[in-house]
Amino acid sequence: MADSSDSVSVDMESIPLAGKEHIIKTGHGSISVAVFGDQDKPALITYPDLALNYMSCFQGLFFVPEAFSLLLHNFCIYHINPPGHELGAAVAGPDEPPLTVDDLADQIGEILDYFGLGAVMCLGVTAGAYILTLFALKHSRRVMGLILVSPLCKAPSWTEWLCNKVMSNLLYICGMCGIVKELLLMRYFSKEVRGGVDVPESDIVQSCRRLLGERQSPNVLRFLEAIDGRPDISDGLRKLQCRSLIFVGENSPFHYEALHMTSKLDRRFSALVEVQACGSMVTEEQPDAMLIPLEYFLMGYGFFRPSQLSVSPRSPLSPTSISPELFSPESMGLKLKPIKTRIQVEV
C-alpha cells in the first residue's frame, strides 16, 4: 500500500455496509474509495452511474444476503466513487480542469497501484460500466472479468445528448433541481417503481431522490460532461481478453445499447441477462435477479457462495427458468456462451 501521506482514512461506522474510506490523490484529482473485506482476498472494484455513489447504486445488491455472502466470501470490495460524489465532498472549484473518460479510466489504474492490486473483477453500472470497460481495453491484464449493468459503449445518441444537454444547463443554472432529479430517476428506474398519478413512488426511488439532493451539482456536472464526451469503443470490444456478464433491464433507456455491446463482444466469452419489468439500475430495482447468473459466472473462476444450497430460495430464478446453457461445463469455464435469460417478475 502507498504511503499514508497520500491519503486520508475515515471510519464510517454509522453507514450500513460501509468500510474504510480512502481519499486517494491521482494525476486527475482526488478520489474516494471505500474498502471493506479481507484485503488478502481477490479484489472486486465497483463504479456507479452518473450522480450516484456506491451506497446509492450498490446497496440494494449487497443487502441481499446471498449476494453479500457470495461477494464478501470471495472478494475484498473496493467501491470507487466518481470524483466529488462521496458523502461530504467539497465542491469542485471553477479552476478545476475538465475530466475526460480517459482521465477517469486512468484513475482506476492509479487506485489499483495504490492498493497494490493485480488483476481485478469489475462491477459497473451504465456510466461506470463504460469507464470499467474502457479501463479493460487499455489494461487488459489488470481485469479478470467484467460484470456490467445496463452498460454504454457507443457515443451518446441524439436522445441521450439532448437529455444530457438539458441536465447540464439546469445543473449549471439551478443546481440539483427537481427536473434534474426526475431526468436522473427516469435514467435509473422503470416506470413501475417511479409511480405515477395513481401509484406512489417505491421506497427505493424515494431514497434515491433524497440521496440525489446531497450531491454537489458542480461535481455532477463535471462527471456528466466527461460521460457526454465519450467516444464509441464498439470496435475494440472483440479484443477484450476477459469474460463479460451483462445485465440490462428491458425498460432501461440503454437496453438497445446493451444489446449492441453484446453483439460486439466475443461470443465465446460473454453472456447477456435481460430482466423484465426493470430499468437500468438492476442492482437496486431487481437485485435478486442477479444472484444465479452471478453465481454461475463466478464459478468459472473457482468462486462460490458458502452455502449448502446451490439455488437461492430468495432468487426469482430457479433451475428451470435459466437457459440450460448456463449449466454446461463451457459456461462455467473459459468459454462462457452468449445466452439470453429472461427473468419473470410480477408487476
Side-chain angles (χ1 to χ4, degrees), residues 23-212:
I23 306 299
I24 300 171
K25 296 178 181 177
T26 74
H28 303 287
S30 296
I31 195 163
S32 166
V33 182
V35 181
F36 61 94
D38 182 353
Q39 290 186 254
D40 290 331
K41 291 182 177 180
L44 169 69
I45 65 172
T46 72
Y47 210 114
D49 192 17
L50 173 68
L52 301 174
N53 57 32
Y54 78 93
M55 286 179 289
S56 50
C57 193
F58 299 105
Q59 189 166 251
L61 177 63
F62 281 87
F63 270 158
V64 177
E66 294 86 355
F68 183 86
S69 174
L70 172 67
L71 297 176
L72 266 293
H73 177 73
N74 292 292
F75 298 101
C76 179
I77 314 298
Y78 297 80
H79 287 300
I80 302 173
N81 291 310
H85 282 53
E86 68 275 12
L87 287 175
V91 178
D95 296 331
E96 291 280 352
L99 289 169
T100 67
V101 287
D102 286 297
D103 295 337
L104 297 170
D106 291 343
Q107 282 184 327
I108 295 174
E110 295 185 64
I111 290 166
L112 301 192
D113 292 341
Y114 172 82
F115 289 108
L117 302 175
V120 298
M121 186 69 69
C122 298
L123 169 60
V125 177
T126 312
Y130 178 95
I131 294 163
L132 292 176
T133 304
L134 180 60
F135 176 74
L137 289 171
K138 298 175 75 171
H139 305 282
S140 59
R141 294 185 178 181
R142 306 201 73 172
V143 176
M144 70 170 78
L146 290 169
I147 303 166
L148 308 175
V149 181
S150 303
L152 306 173
C153 67
K154 301 175 70 177
S157 65
W158 282 109
T159 303
E160 185 192 350
W161 176 87
L162 180 59
C163 182
N164 290 347
K165 186 62 64 177
V166 171
M167 285 197 292
S168 295
N169 290 335
L170 288 172
L171 284 167
Y172 182 78
I173 298 170
C174 307
M176 185 61 74
C177 61
I179 298 176
V180 173
K181 290 180 184 179
E182 289 300 327
L183 290 172
L184 289 170
L185 293 172
M186 290 172 63
R187 175 188 177 99
Y188 306 147
F189 298 111
S190 67
K191 185 177 180 182
E192 285 79 4
V193 296
R194 295 200 314 273
V197 177
D198 300 321
V199 181
E201 283 184 340
S202 68
D203 291 342
I204 58 170
V205 175
Q206 292 178 21
S207 176
C208 187
R209 186 187 297 277
R210 288 192 298 270
L211 291 170
L212 288 174

Side-chain angles (χ1 to χ4, degrees), residues 126 150 187 190 248-256 278-281:
T126 312
S150 303
R187 175 188 177 99
S190 67
V248 64
E250 287 195 326
N251 295 332
S252 167
F254 305 108
H255 180 243
Y256 172 77
C278 189
S280 298
M281 199 157 43

